[in-house]
């Protein structure tokens, strides 16, 4: 099937959303310390995960409700432990992944002396030849070559942390080898694999709901966002350009694209009019909306579910991070490769793991009848690119009817604020001290720098 930008023409649009309980901090606290052993998985109560999410995980992953809850709890813990180990291992870090129903975490390193540290954090250690930095450097060289000239018959390339290699998927070994040679990279670090994959974009204020561009093509809302006092939503860049107008699922006037990037990346945001109130939910398609509590990124192997206006709820796993994929319109980089299916009209829709927003649907190959591979644009880079704040269960979405008698003050002597999207490396002050962000996330009430060393390092 030819890779094309597929915009779904005006159809009766379904809706999709997901409801999940707040991420408990027990699985985050302490993992960035020198001895993070003993970290426990955050509890996930029977009421905290939506029936729609559980049903989709049972259908697509073969997990019953109890197994799904256990897996999500394990994946929350694994993401936090992996982030702490990435920081402490530094240049020796070679990637992390989870596997199995219990979300067993494996962390790779190039330094055998670090295996005790990894095991002490509760992860399985694996010694490999190449660091993640080195492999990502090779991939960045391939990205630069693709920006000069989009490779013919080379749809996808990524770092495979399990294989400890860069993988180039191509229609033929000759095409893949030619791309590697043109990029001038060390072929000894690259595996060229033959693939029939032909990704295309899925173009056709609740995540997963349909919206229409200029009254014709259809895409799906990713997540509700704010920029200052302006409400809006995040979506895919290929769905519209700056100035493109949108109508909602009810065909009523909705908003206008304020920022859009495609190709290169695949993200955009739409500012909506006063008739649309942003909600921290993803459409569960009749099984209950899923509540969005934050945007902590999952690791390779984690379960992930997608909501879109064509096919509703579907689940799978994260296969590779920081993937590059070539569509007919050009190459995009930094997307996440998944085993979740999607179809035209699902573009821009929500990807979520448990209650943590992951990204917006970009494109892929296959369909939801025979199965397929789909890519999503991670959400945190999108928020950072446009200075947006994710609307979560801790974000007020309706203005107060009367001014508060005693307006809230800033955090004790600091600049940290709940609801703010922080990039790795960002600094804040809190309680008279300065902290550096260890992993990108959207701050939630109670996730203060002093309380969550997995996310913040005092400097």
């Amino acid at each position: 099937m030819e890779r094309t930008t597929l915009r779904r023409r005006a159809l009766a649009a379904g809706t999709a959303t997901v409801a999940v309980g707040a991420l408990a901090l027990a699985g985050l606290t302490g993992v960035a310390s020198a001895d993070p052993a003993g970290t426990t998985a955050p509890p996930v109560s029977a009421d905290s995960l939506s029936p729609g999410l559980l049903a989709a995980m049972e259908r697509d992953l073969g997990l019953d409700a109890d197994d799904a809850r256990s897996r999500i709890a394990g994946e929350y813990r694994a993401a936090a432990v992996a982030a702490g180990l990435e920081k402490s291992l530094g240049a020796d870090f070679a990637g992390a992944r989870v596997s199995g129903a219990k979300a067993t975490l494996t962390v790779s390193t190039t330094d055998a002396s670090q295996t005790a540290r990894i095991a002490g954090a509760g992860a399985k250690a694996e010694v490999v030849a190449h660091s993640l930095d080195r492999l990502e450097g090779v991939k960045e060289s391939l990205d630069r070559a693709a920006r000069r000239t989009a490779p013919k018959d080379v749809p996808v390339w990524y770092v495979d942390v399990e294989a400890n290699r860069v993988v180039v998927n191509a229609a033929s070994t000759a095409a893949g080898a030619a791309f590697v040679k043109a990029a001038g990279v060390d072929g000894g670090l690259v595996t060229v694999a033959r693939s029939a994959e032909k990704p295309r974009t899925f173009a056709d204020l609740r995540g997963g709901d349909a919206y229409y561009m200029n009254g014709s093509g259809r895409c799906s809302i990713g997540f509700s966002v704010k920029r200052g006092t302006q409400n809006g939503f995040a979506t895919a860049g290929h769905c519209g350009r700056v100035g493109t107008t949108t109508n909602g699922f009810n065909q009523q006037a909705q908003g206008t694209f304020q920022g859009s990037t495609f190709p290169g990346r695949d993200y955009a945001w739409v500012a909506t009019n006063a008739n649309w109130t942003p909600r921290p939910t993803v459409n569960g398609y009749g099984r209950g909306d899923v509540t969005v509590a934050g945007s902590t990124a999952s690791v390779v192997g984690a379960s992930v579910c997608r909501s879109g206006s064509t096919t509703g709820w579907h689940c799978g796993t994260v296969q590779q991070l920081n993937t590059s994929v070539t569509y007919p319109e050009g190459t995009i980089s930094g997307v996440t490769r998944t085993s979740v299916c999607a179809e035209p009209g699902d573009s821009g829709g929500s990807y979520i793991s448990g209650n943590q927003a992951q990204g917006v649907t970009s494109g892929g190959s296959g369909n939801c009848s025979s199965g397929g591979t789909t890519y999503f644009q991670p959400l945190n880079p999108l928020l950072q690119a446009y200075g947006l704040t994710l609307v979560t269960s801790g974000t007020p979405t309706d203005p107060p009817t009367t001014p508060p008698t005693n307006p809230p003050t800033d955090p004790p002597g600091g600049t940290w604020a709940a609801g703010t999207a922080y990039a790795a490396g960002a600094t804040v002050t809190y309680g008279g001290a300065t902290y550096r962000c260890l992993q990108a996330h959207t701050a939630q009430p109670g996730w203060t720098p002093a309380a969550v060393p997995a996310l913040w390092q005092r400097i």
Side-chain angles (χ1 to χ4, degrees):
M1 181 177 181
E2 184 180 0
R3 299 188 298 276
T4 57
T5 302
L6 300 177
R7 292 191 175 184
R8 192 58 102 178
R9 295 297 169 183
L11 303 173
T15 52
T17 312
V18 206
V20 182
L23 169 61
L25 290 176
L28 294 177
T29 303
V31 297
S33 64
D35 182 15
T39 303
T40 57
V44 179
S45 71
D47 298 328
S48 68
L49 299 178
S50 79
L53 179 72
L54 295 173
M57 292 183 71
E58 181 176 5
R59 179 194 63 203
D60 297 336
L61 297 174
L63 301 174
D64 64 25
D66 289 339
D67 288 340
R69 293 187 188 98
S70 176
R71 177 164 176 164
I72 288 172
E75 289 170 355
Y76 283 164
R77 175 188 179 278
V81 172
L85 286 171
E86 181 175 6
K87 175 68 176 179
S88 61
L89 294 176
D92 297 326
F93 180 74
R97 64 187 188 275
V98 294
S99 59
K102 296 184 181 298
T104 301
L105 175 64
T106 299
V107 174
S108 300
T109 179
T110 56
D111 184 355
S113 68
Q114 298 284 7
T115 56
R117 179 193 295 269
I118 294 170
K124 178 183 176 181
E126 183 178 69
V127 180
V128 296
H130 312 300
S131 70
L132 185 61
D133 285 346
R134 185 179 185 190
L135 295 177
E136 288 190 336
V138 171
K139 182 187 169 294
E140 287 170 4
S141 295
L142 295 172
D143 291 347
R144 286 193 294 272
R147 287 193 290 270
R148 293 192 298 269
T149 304
K152 183 178 180 182
D153 294 329
V154 183
V156 180
W157 55 100
Y158 50 81
V159 173
D160 187 330
V161 295
E162 183 173 9
N164 196 227
R165 307 272 294 173
V166 175
V167 176
V168 172
N169 285 350
S172 66
T173 53
F179 177 45
V180 172
K181 182 178 180 179
V185 301
D186 182 357
L189 299 177
V190 180
T191 296
V192 175
R194 292 190 63 182
S195 172
E197 185 176 353
K198 294 183 178 181
R200 79 280 191 200
T201 49
F202 291 127
D204 192 277
L205 272 165
R206 178 179 56 177
D209 280 355
Y211 69 90
Y212 299 84
M213 299 82 73
N214 289 337
S216 55
R218 171 167 62 82
C219 276
S220 301
I221 292 172
F223 296 94
S224 297
V225 298
K226 286 177 172 286
R227 185 172 182 179
T229 59
Q230 174 63 58
N231 295 330
F233 62 84
T235 190
H238 72 262
C239 289
R241 298 304 184 201
V242 173
T244 298
T245 59
T246 69
N247 290 342
F249 67 91
N250 55 6
Q251 295 291 355
Q252 299 301 303
Q254 181 188 63
T256 305
F257 276 75
Q258 301 297 304
S260 178
T261 301
F262 180 79
R265 294 291 188 268
D266 194 5
Y267 48 53
W269 83 284
V270 174
T272 55
N273 61 43
N275 294 328
W276 295 82
T277 300
R279 301 296 184 190
T281 53
V282 176
N283 189 333
Y285 286 96
R287 296 179 180 270
D289 293 350
V290 174
T291 300
V292 179
S295 59
T296 300
S298 293
V299 299
V300 171
S303 59
V304 67
C305 295
R306 178 195 55 73
S307 178
S309 60
T310 298
T311 59
W313 269 111
H314 286 275
C315 299
T317 59
V318 173
Q319 295 178 317
Q320 282 86 28
L321 308 178
N322 191 21
T323 299
S324 295
V325 56
T326 296
Y327 300 128
E329 301 88 348
T331 297
I332 63 170
S333 299
V335 292
T336 298
R337 187 171 187 248
T338 77
S339 63
V340 187
C341 70
E343 295 181 9
D346 288 328
S347 273
S350 324
Y351 265 85
I352 190 165
S353 290
N355 58 12
Q356 298 295 301
Q358 298 298 309
V360 298
T361 303
S362 175
S365 56
N367 55 52
C368 288
S369 297
S370 60
T373 299
T374 306
Y375 305 88
F376 70 79
Q377 167 67 56
L379 182 64
N380 287 328
L382 185 160
L383 298 175
Q384 294 156 16
Y386 298 122
L388 304 171
T389 299
L390 176 66
V391 175
T392 69
S393 52
T395 305
T397 56
D398 296 308
T401 54
T402 59
T405 304
N406 297 305
T409 59
D410 291 334
T415 59
W416 178 89
T420 303
Y422 291 106
T427 58
V428 297
T429 56
Y430 184 85
T434 301
Y435 295 83
R436 178 182 293 111
C437 180
L438 298 178
Q439 62 172 318
H441 68 285
T442 298
Q444 304 302 307
W447 293 18
T448 61
V452 193
L455 299 179
W456 295 98
Q457 179 185 44
R458 184 167 178 166
I459 57 176

